[in-house]
Structure formats: structure tokens, C-alpha cells
């Protein structure tokens, strides 16, 4: 059931390094954004300066997550 | 107030003239505009093309939030932000930010504020295509 | 680098697009533009018309000197200044200042510098025609 | 002879108050911009904030003048 999962998105160089732009993870024992990273990357080290968002708002790694959330990880932005 | 992402090339001064028709003439005394364009070189290398990735949904939301913030921080009549996405060629316009206000101080400050917020936090990422390889741009230059 | 006085109305974004064709595309990454326009009211009064007096010779010389100064203070590719003279109507453009540079900091700073120098020292004087009288504008608002 | 005179110009509200935009004065005992004002306005009081130029460059009231110079007086500028 999608309400028991979290959608995880990766962008730019992070997407290329991990080999995918989007995964769905189960929420079992996933409480924070940091946990989402661990689960969705098989425990890889998070690059320094990685930015994080939950439901398209910037948050810190300690921010809690809930089933149904969309979480995103991406490198420093370079627009404009 | 308008925020738009554009997958195709746009002509910033044509956009400005056209958008400005929607603003009551005779009400604004100051318009400050910034246009960012793609250069054909970066860090000593020729750049052939650029790929501008973004986060559909969050990017628009973020740009709308800084436009609203600028409208509430300064006495502005209107704000326009247009940002390119996708494949970009040298000399193409990447970003257009324009603000209309009664007086120049608000216009100058708001336009700079918008560009600094956009450069430091708006979810866009540039990948450059050089002669024989491609590379992600690692970070924007700070405001200094 | 171009400085021009215009006795007739001008369309700033058309001027910009046209002037920019003379600058090597792909060389500049940042363009900062300021447009000052005539509002239809000032200090609580409706303004019907305005008369923009200047000092032929000195005004051009002064504008050229601040454009050159900006080129030497910042790393700019080009500067354009157009200023209206004579009889001006509400919503007409009064001044256009544009600078082209590699990066945004120089563009923002130079455009603001030019406008502050122009507002505080360029020999122009505005006389406003109200409903039943006319008056000289006594001073410009400070940069704040 | 024009080389023994100074051309004096007034702009904007100053021009209207004085009733003329341009006069020519002789250089006899005229040494500074302040002397030019005295001579060209019949000794009127100079309004506070009056700006002065010699040969189209800003100067102060104490600046020396020479035959052939063009001197200008005007109120605070209001362009842009």
C-alpha cells in the first residue's frame, strides 16, 4: 500500500552516481530523512553538502518522515 | 506575479515588454531587471551545450515562494521570473528576473535578493558538455 | 559603450535587444538593467506632463564619464545609457541603464552605481505640469 | 573681444528666477566662480545647494576662472 511507503528522489550528479532517480521504500523503522537516505542507498555515505527536501520543502537530515511523504536528495544547486 | 519554466529558448526583452503590458502604466517608476545568459566558456574550457535539470514541482514552488517573499519585503507592483530548463546553447538566456516598484531602492534590492535566493536555493543543476567530456557544475559563485 | 539623449519616446526593451546585438554573444553571463519611468502622480498630485531640461554638452560628458568609470571599476563588457529629454508623458521611459559582465556581482553593483551617480550628479531637471500649475522637482530621493 | 569675457549659463529654476539662461560678463576683477555669480546676478544671494561648473566640469565656488571660460550655475539635479 502506497501509504506505507516513502517515495525517494535523487537529482543531478547524485542521481547519476546512484544509478537511479527514484525509488520507493517501506517505512519500517524509518523515522527521519537520514534513515530514508540509509534505506534508499543501501547505507552509502551521504556526500557533504547534500541538500534534502520533504514534500518539496527544504529540511534537515533529522526531520521526521511519514508514510506517503516524498523525500528528495540533491547536490548544491547551480541554476540562474 | 508570474513564475515560468521554459524548455525552449526565450527572448528576455520581448518577454519583458509583453509582460509589462499587464501592469498599470504610470504606476511604476522603477524597473530592475537581471538576465543570466550562457557563456561559451567556463573555468577555462569551451562549453558546447548545457543541460539544465530541475525538480518538477519543487522548483516552481520555490521560485513562487521567493517571488512572494520579495513582494512582502519590499513595496513592489509586480515580479516576473522566467527560467530555462533542458538543453541550452551558448548565448541562450538562462534566467530573467524583473521587478517593478515606485522607487529605485526597492527595485534594486528586490532584484538582487531574488537572484541570490535563486542562485543559492532554487533546485536547478547544470551539466556542461565540453569537447570530449561532460561535467556537473559543482556550485554557484557566492554573492561575494 | 553608448550614451544617448533622446528627445522622443523610446522603448527600452527594444533598445536593449537591438544594442545587445553589437556585443559578442556567449561572452557575457550577466546583464543588469534599470529602467526609470514617469509615474502619473508625485507627492500626492496628478502629473499631466513633465519637462526634462538638461545642459547640452555637460550632460553627455557627465554620463560618458560615469560609464567609463564603471567600466574601469568593474570587469564589464559593455554599458548602455539612454536618457530622455524634453516633454515627457506619464508612463514614458525616462532612463535606461544596462551593463553586461561575466558575473552577476559586477553587473548588479555597476548598474546601481551608475543610477546613483546619474541621480545625484547628472545635469537634468524635471518640471512637472499639474492640473493648474507647474513646479520644479526640488531634489531626487537619496539612495537610502 | 570674447577672449576677455566669460560666458555664464543658468538652468532650470535658477534660469526662471533670474529671467535669463545666458549672459556674457567681462573678466575685470573676476577671479573665482563666486565672483562670476556676483557679477552675473548683480549681487543676488546664491541659493543654498546651487551647483557650479566650469567648462562643463563640476567645481567649487572658490575655483579660479579665466577669460573664455564657460561657467554654469544650477539647482540640485533631478534626472533619472
Amino acid at each position: 500500500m502506497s501509504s506505507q511507503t516513502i517515495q525517494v528522489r535523487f537529482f543531478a550528479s547524485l542521481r547519476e552516481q546512484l544509478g537511479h532517480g527514484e525509488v520507493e521504500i517501506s517505512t519500517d523503522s524509518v523515522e527521519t530523512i537520514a534513515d530514508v537516505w540509509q534505506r534508499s542507498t543501501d547505507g552509502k555515505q551521504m556526500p557533504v553538502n547534500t541538500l534534502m527536501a520533504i514534500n518539496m520543502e527544504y529540511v534537515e537530515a533529522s526531520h521526521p518522515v511519514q508514510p506517503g511523504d516524498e523525500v528528495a536528495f540533491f547536490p548544491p544547486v547551480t541554476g540562474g | 506575479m508570474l513564475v515560468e519554466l521554459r524548455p525552449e529558448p526565450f527572448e528576455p526583452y520581448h518577454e519583458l515588454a509583453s509582460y509589462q503590458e499587464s501592469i498599470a502604466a504610470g504606476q511604476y517608476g522603477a524597473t530592475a531587471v537581471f538576465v543570466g545568459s550562457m557563456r561559451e566558456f567556463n573555468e577555462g574550457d569551451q562549453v558546447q551545450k548545457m543541460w539544465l535539470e530541475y525538480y518538477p514541482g519543487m522548483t516552481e514552488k520555490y521560485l513562487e515562494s521567493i517571488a512572494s517573499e520579495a513582494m512582502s519585503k519590499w513595496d513592489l507592483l509586480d515580479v516576473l521570473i522566467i527560467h530555462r530548463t533542458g538543453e541550452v546553447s551558448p548565448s541562450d538566456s538562462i534566467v530573467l528576473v524583473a521587478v517593478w516598484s515606485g522607487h529605485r531602492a526597492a527595485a534594486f534590492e528586490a532584484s538582487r535578493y531574488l537572484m541570490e535566493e535563486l542562485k543559492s536555493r532554487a533546485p536547478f543543476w547544470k551539466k556542461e558538455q565540453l569537447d570530449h567530456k561532460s561535467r556537473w557544475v559543482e556550485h554557484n559563485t557566492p554573492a561575494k
Side-chain angles (χ1 to χ4, degrees), chain A:
Chain A
M1 220 182 98
S2 83
S3 65
Q4 292 311 303
T5 61
I6 288 171
Q7 203 67 22
V8 190
R9 308 188 66 176
F10 304 98
F11 290 94
S13 55
L14 215 47
R15 173 176 54 69
E16 288 188 351
Q17 283 156 29
L18 295 169
H20 50 252
E22 203 160 352
V23 292
E24 201 173 64
I25 60 166
S26 112
T27 55
D28 292 349
S29 55
V30 165
E31 291 177 2
T32 65
I33 298 276
D35 296 338
V36 172
W37 172 270
Q38 288 302 313
R39 172 75 51 90
S40 61
T41 65
D42 296 325
K44 286 199 180 60
Q45 173 117 23
M46 189 190 290
V48 194
N49 295 331
T50 296
L51 297 170
M52 291 150 258
I54 187 165
N55 301 326
M56 302 186 177
E57 298 275 2
Y58 279 105
V59 288
E60 298 299 315
S62 58
H63 196 281
V65 292
Q66 295 189 320
D69 281 348
E70 175 172 305
V71 171
F73 298 95
F74 44 82
V77 303
T78 55

Side-chain angles (χ1 to χ4, degrees), chain B residues 44-88:
Chain B
D45 298 303
Q46 284 286 122
V47 184
Q48 306 297 339
K49 289 275 179 185
M50 202 166 66
W51 173 255
L52 248 168
E53 184 169 330
Y54 70 107
Y55 183 171
M58 181 168 175
T59 304
E60 297 90 327
K61 189 176 172 178
Y62 181 80
L63 295 178
E64 277 157 18
S65 76
I66 59 175
S68 298
E69 252 172 65
M71 296 281 288
S72 68
K73 277 172 110 97
W74 289 276
D75 194 11
L76 306 180
L77 278 89
D78 216 323
V79 171
L80 171 65
I81 303 178
I82 297 177
H83 202 294
R84 184 70 183 280
T85 62
E87 191 179 278
V88 184

Side-chain angles (χ1 to χ4, degrees), chain B:
Chain B
M1 199 183 103
L2 179 67
V3 166
E4 274 188 6
L5 299 182
R6 295 286 181 88
E8 300 292 335
F10 67 96
E11 207 294 286
Y13 305 122
H14 176 80
E15 300 284 343
L16 265 170
S18 160
Y19 183 74
Q20 193 171 258
E21 288 173 17
S22 70
I23 311 174
Q27 297 296 301
Y28 53 88
T31 309
V33 176
F34 181 86
V35 178
S37 312
M38 183 179 160
R39 297 196 299 164
E40 60 199 14
F41 51 90
N42 191 26
E43 295 178 18
D45 298 303
Q46 284 286 122
V47 184
Q48 306 297 339
K49 289 275 179 185
M50 202 166 66
W51 173 255
L52 248 168
E53 184 169 330
Y54 70 107
Y55 183 171
M58 181 168 175
T59 304
E60 297 90 327
K61 189 176 172 178
Y62 181 80
L63 295 178
E64 277 157 18
S65 76
I66 59 175
S68 298
E69 252 172 65
M71 296 281 288
S72 68
K73 277 172 110 97
W74 289 276
D75 194 11
L76 306 180
L77 278 89
D78 216 323
V79 171
L80 171 65
I81 303 178
I82 297 177
H83 202 294
R84 184 70 183 280
T85 62
E87 191 179 278
V88 184
S89 298
S91 91
D92 283 1
S93 298
I94 296 171
V95 62
L96 164 65
V97 162
V99 306
W100 288 262
S101 67
H103 299 283
R104 73 188 184 285
F108 276 123
E109 288 162 23
S111 67
R112 181 141 204 192
Y113 168 84
L114 285 167
M115 277 309 300
E116 299 310 332
E117 293 297 306
L118 188 155
K119 283 265 184 183
S120 61
R121 305 276 283 173
F124 290 104
W125 304 273
K126 288 174 181 154
K127 189 175 195 176
E128 296 173 335
Q129 180 61 51
L130 309 183
D131 283 346
H132 301 293
K133 63 167 185 168
S134 64
R135 68 180 174 205
W136 290 97
V137 177
E138 292 189 358
H139 50 75
N140 275 332
T141 51
K144 109 165 187 189

